[in-house]
Amino acid sequence: MIQPPRDIDIAALRGLQRKFGKVFPAESVIFKEGDTSMHFYVILQGVVEITKRVKPGPEGGSDQVLTLSQLGPGGFFGEIGAFSGRPRTATARAVKDTTLLFFDGYSAISLLQSSPRFALGIIQTLCDRLLRIDEALVGAAAHMIGDQPSLDIAVFTAGQSTESDEDHPDIDSNVSPHNDPNT
């Protein structure tokens, strides 16, 4: 399902096509997960699929490709690379012939500063994405709680720390939603 975009003033952005536009043929890869690039993309026409390669669990098997989203006109992607300088966290591929605007990080920041409507649309869309991620994490945590007798602190840190419970004696790793010592 193609995610509906927020209002980023797509009509005004079409005026930038001559300077910042590029057409990607159907099935072409725009960038790959792990690539380094500082470009931010806005879709004028077409569809872009965002995918992530998922490594198999301890039981083995081959990598799986997870479709994170499909974006249509007014959708944008590449914000992590453009604004943080980090490698691409996913792969972007044109599903059909697609016309994109692509901006380096500095041009994207300039556009955000000069167009409050564009900036607000970007912020609202990022909020929508964060809410979807939050809902997915809560769902995954609920599933994990159902499968395990206690809630592992890793659910909350999402792998941010490799420290053990011994490094933090004040953390009770036996706390579960069923035996909360504060209730």
Side-chain angles (χ1 to χ4, degrees), residues 18-37:
R18 185 175 305 267
K19 183 174 182 181
F20 295 103
K22 184 172 181 180
V23 175
F24 287 83
E27 302 303 320
S28 63
V29 173
I30 300 160
F31 58 73
K32 291 183 181 178
E33 183 176 348
D35 286 355
T36 54
S37 168

Side-chain angles (χ1 to χ4, degrees), residues 28-179:
S28 63
V29 173
I30 300 160
F31 58 73
K32 291 183 181 178
E33 183 176 348
D35 286 355
T36 54
S37 168
M38 297 276 302
H39 287 101
F40 174 78
Y41 300 84
V42 177
I43 303 167
L44 293 179
Q45 181 179 5
V47 177
V48 173
E49 182 176 68
I50 308 296
T51 60
K52 180 146 185 82
R53 190 164 295 283
V54 180
K55 302 277 183 205
E59 65 279 349
S62 59
D63 288 0
Q64 304 254 336
V65 176
L66 175 67
T67 298
L68 301 177
S69 63
Q70 283 197 343
L71 305 169
F76 65 87
F77 58 97
E79 65 278 2
I80 292 173
F83 300 125
S84 76
R86 292 182 167 230
R88 299 297 184 186
T89 59
T91 296
R93 178 184 64 84
V95 174
K96 57 185 184 177
D97 291 352
T98 300
T99 303
L100 301 176
L101 295 178
F102 66 103
F103 305 98
D104 62 29
Y106 299 110
S107 297
I109 289 169
S110 178
L111 183 58
L112 288 166
Q113 291 172 332
S114 66
S115 174
R117 186 170 161 191
F118 177 75
L120 181 60
I122 296 296
I123 291 167
Q124 290 172 328
T125 301
L126 291 174
C127 288
D128 292 343
R129 291 176 183 176
L130 286 171
L131 286 169
R132 279 194 300 277
I133 291 168
D134 185 56
E135 290 167 359
L137 285 172
V138 168
H143 178 73
M144 289 176 68
I145 291 169
D147 291 346
Q148 299 176 352
S150 66
L151 178 60
D152 188 345
I153 195 74
V155 170
F156 296 108
T157 61
Q160 294 292 326
S161 175
T162 58
E163 299 170 332
S164 70
D165 291 342
E166 294 167 58
D167 296 327
H168 298 284
D170 55 321
I171 296 177
D172 183 358
S173 62
N174 295 315
V175 173
S176 83
H178 305 292
N179 64 356

